[in-house]
Amino acid sequence: MFRSIRGFAFNSLRYSSYSSNAIVQSSTESSQQNVKKTISYIQNLYHEKKPITMVTAFDSITSRMSEEAQIDITLVGDSLANTSLGYRDTNQLNLEEMLYHVRSVRRGNQFSLLVADLPFGSYEVSIEQATATAIQMVKAGAQAVKLEGADDETVRTIKKLVNTGIPVMGHVGLTPQKHNTMGGYKLQGTSTESAMQVLEAAKKIQEAGVFSMVLECVPYRLGEIITQELSVPTIGIGAGGQTSGQVLVIADLLGMQPGPLPRFAKTYANFFDNGVLALKTYAEEVRSEQFPLQEHGYKIKKMVLEEVRKNLEK
Ligand code: KIV
C-alpha cells in the first residue's frame, strides 16, 4: 500500500534502517500496541472510525502514565503553564521552558505519538521563526507540533512546516493563546457567523496540510458537522462526542489541582486531595515518631558498630 497524505508519503513496509523501531503501520495494524505510533497510525484509526485518545503530559512521570494507559497521542500542551508551572495563563510560557518539558516527556515516552505545542511568541513573528522553533521541538523529541489558529500567516506557516517534514496538528475553536483578543475563554461558534468561521478555519488548515486538529469549546452539534466536513481527524475538547477523538488536560483528568474546572473536563481521580492526605499522614507519623521504622532503614555490622563506639570512647 502506498499513500500520500498532503506531502507525507507512507507505505506499509518496514524501514528498519531508518530508525530502531520505524514500523509504519498498515490499516490492519492499528490495533497493535507495542509499536511506535506514527501519524499514519492516527490516520488509520480515523479511517477505521476508531476514537482517537489523546492526553497531555508535562514530565516523564505523566508521560509514563500515558504509555501505561496505551493512549494514542501524548501532547506536551502549553497548558503545562497554568497547571504544572503555576503561571496565570499559557502566554507566559517561554520556548526554553517548553523544550525542557518536551525532553522530560520524551524520556517517559515509548509508543504514543508525541506532539508538542508551539508556545505563544515562538512562531508568530515569521515563518522562519516558526520553522526554527518547530525544528527545536523535533530535536527535543516531538514527532509533530501543534499550533493554534488559521489566519493567513498561520496557514503559510503550516504549509512550510509540512514541507520541511514536520507534521502539524492544528487547533481551532477556542484558541487559549488568543484569549486576550477573544475576550476571554468563551464557547466559540454560537452564532451562524461564528460557527461558519470555525468551520472555515478548520477547512483552511486542513488544506494547508495538518494531519489532525484540536477542536476546542464549540457546541457539540457544530463539532459533529465540522468533523463530517473534514477528511482529517478532529480531536475534541468541549466539542461533543462526535469528533474523531478526545483530549483532556492531565491535571484536570487526574484531579491534580483544586479549583473549578471547565464544564468539558471530566475528573477521573483525586490526586490533589489524596496527595494532601498522604502528606498529612506522613507529617503526623514523623511528629509522633511512627516513621521511619526499623524496616525502612539499613543494618550495620555489629563489629563495625563496636569499633565506632570504641573510637568515640578514646
Ligand atoms: O495545551 C493544551 O493542553 C491543549 C489541549 C487543551 C488540547 O492545547
Side-chain angles (χ1 to χ4, degrees):
M1 180 179 100
F2 187 86
R3 269 184 315 134
S4 175
I5 303 173
R6 299 190 188 284
F8 290 96
F10 307 112
N11 74 44
S12 58
L13 301 175
R14 284 157 194 253
Y15 286 113
S16 54
S17 58
Y18 284 6
S19 129
S20 56
N21 60 357
I23 299 167
V24 183
Q25 300 90 358
S26 77
S27 60
T28 52
E29 289 176 313
S30 67
S31 57
Q32 285 187 8
Q33 296 301 341
N34 294 339
V35 289
K36 181 62 175 155
K37 291 173 185 172
T38 59
I39 66 166
S40 65
Y41 180 97
I42 303 304
Q43 294 279 356
N44 291 334
L45 286 179
Y46 171 69
H47 290 302
E48 291 165 9
K49 299 196 186 330
K50 292 182 179 162
I52 299 161
T53 55
M54 177 159 119
V55 72
T56 69
F58 52 78
D59 63 7
S60 169
I61 296 174
T62 47
S63 179
R64 282 169 56 192
M65 290 168 84
S66 175
E67 290 303 314
E68 288 292 320
Q70 298 183 340
I71 298 291
D72 298 314
I73 305 175
T74 300
L75 170 70
V76 191
D78 61 358
S79 60
L80 73 86
N82 41 322
T83 55
S84 157
L85 299 185
Y87 284 135
R88 193 185 58 243
D89 58 45
T90 55
N91 293 9
Q92 298 189 305
L93 183 71
N94 68 40
L95 178 57
E96 284 65 38
E97 290 166 320
M98 191 65 183
L99 287 166
Y100 176 88
H101 284 271
V102 173
R103 288 188 200 102
S104 176
V105 171
R106 176 69 190 100
R107 289 191 283 271
N109 175 266
Q110 215 179 346
F111 301 121
S112 65
L113 181 81
L114 187 56
V115 181
D117 255 333
L118 299 189
F120 181 70
S122 74
Y123 65 100
E124 303 89 337
V125 176
S126 65
I127 294 179
E128 290 71 28
Q129 185 211 24
T131 310
T133 299
I135 288 172
Q136 287 194 71
M137 290 296 174
V138 171
K139 290 197 186 294
Q143 291 166 274
V145 298
K146 176 166 87 57
L147 52 87
E148 297 183 5
D151 57 88
D152 292 346
E153 185 74 357
T154 306
V155 164
R156 281 194 289 276
T157 298
I158 292 169
K159 284 184 184 161
K160 167 68 178 162
L161 296 184
V162 172
N163 287 336
T164 306
I166 302 171
V168 178
M169 177 180 276
H171 188 148
V172 295
L174 173 61
T175 47
Q177 290 178 5
K178 296 186 177 63
H179 71 275
N180 285 322
T181 43
M182 286 180 143
Y185 301 91
K186 291 180 181 161
L187 180 66
Q188 301 297 304
T190 48
S191 66
T192 312
E193 191 193 355
S194 159
M196 290 310 292
Q197 275 169 2
V198 182
L199 175 60
E200 287 314 314
K203 284 187 171 169
K204 270 169 74 179
I205 61 169
Q206 168 177 271
E207 192 53 37
V210 299
F211 73 94
S212 71
M213 70 185 74
V214 166
L215 187 52
E216 180 163 354
C217 214
V218 296
Y220 56 83
R221 292 302 299 270
L222 181 61
E224 183 179 2
I225 290 171
I226 292 174
T227 302
Q228 283 166 356
E229 289 291 312
L230 298 179
S231 52
V232 296
T234 54
I235 313 289
I237 177 161
Q242 301 305 315
T243 51
S244 322
Q246 295 293 326
V247 55
L248 279 179
V249 172
I250 196 156
D252 298 344
L253 191 158
L254 296 179
M256 283 175 149
Q257 57 186 5
L261 289 180
R263 176 187 176 134
F264 56 68
K266 181 169 176 188
T267 299
Y268 289 84
N270 201 347
F271 273 36
F272 190 87
D273 289 347
N274 287 339
V276 171
L277 188 63
L279 294 182
K280 278 185 177 166
T281 310
Y282 156 75
E284 271 165 29
E285 288 196 0
V286 170
R287 289 179 189 126
S288 61
E289 298 180 4
Q290 291 176 72
F291 175 83
L293 299 175
Q294 223 176 42
E295 69 206 52
H296 301 115
Y298 307 91
K299 284 189 176 157
I300 188 169
K301 285 189 189 127
K302 204 173 162 194
M303 203 181 72
V304 176
L305 188 63
E306 278 166 9
E307 278 171 7
V308 170
R309 283 196 173 125
K310 268 189 218 152
N311 279 344
L312 288 174
E313 282 162 12
K314 277 182 197 161

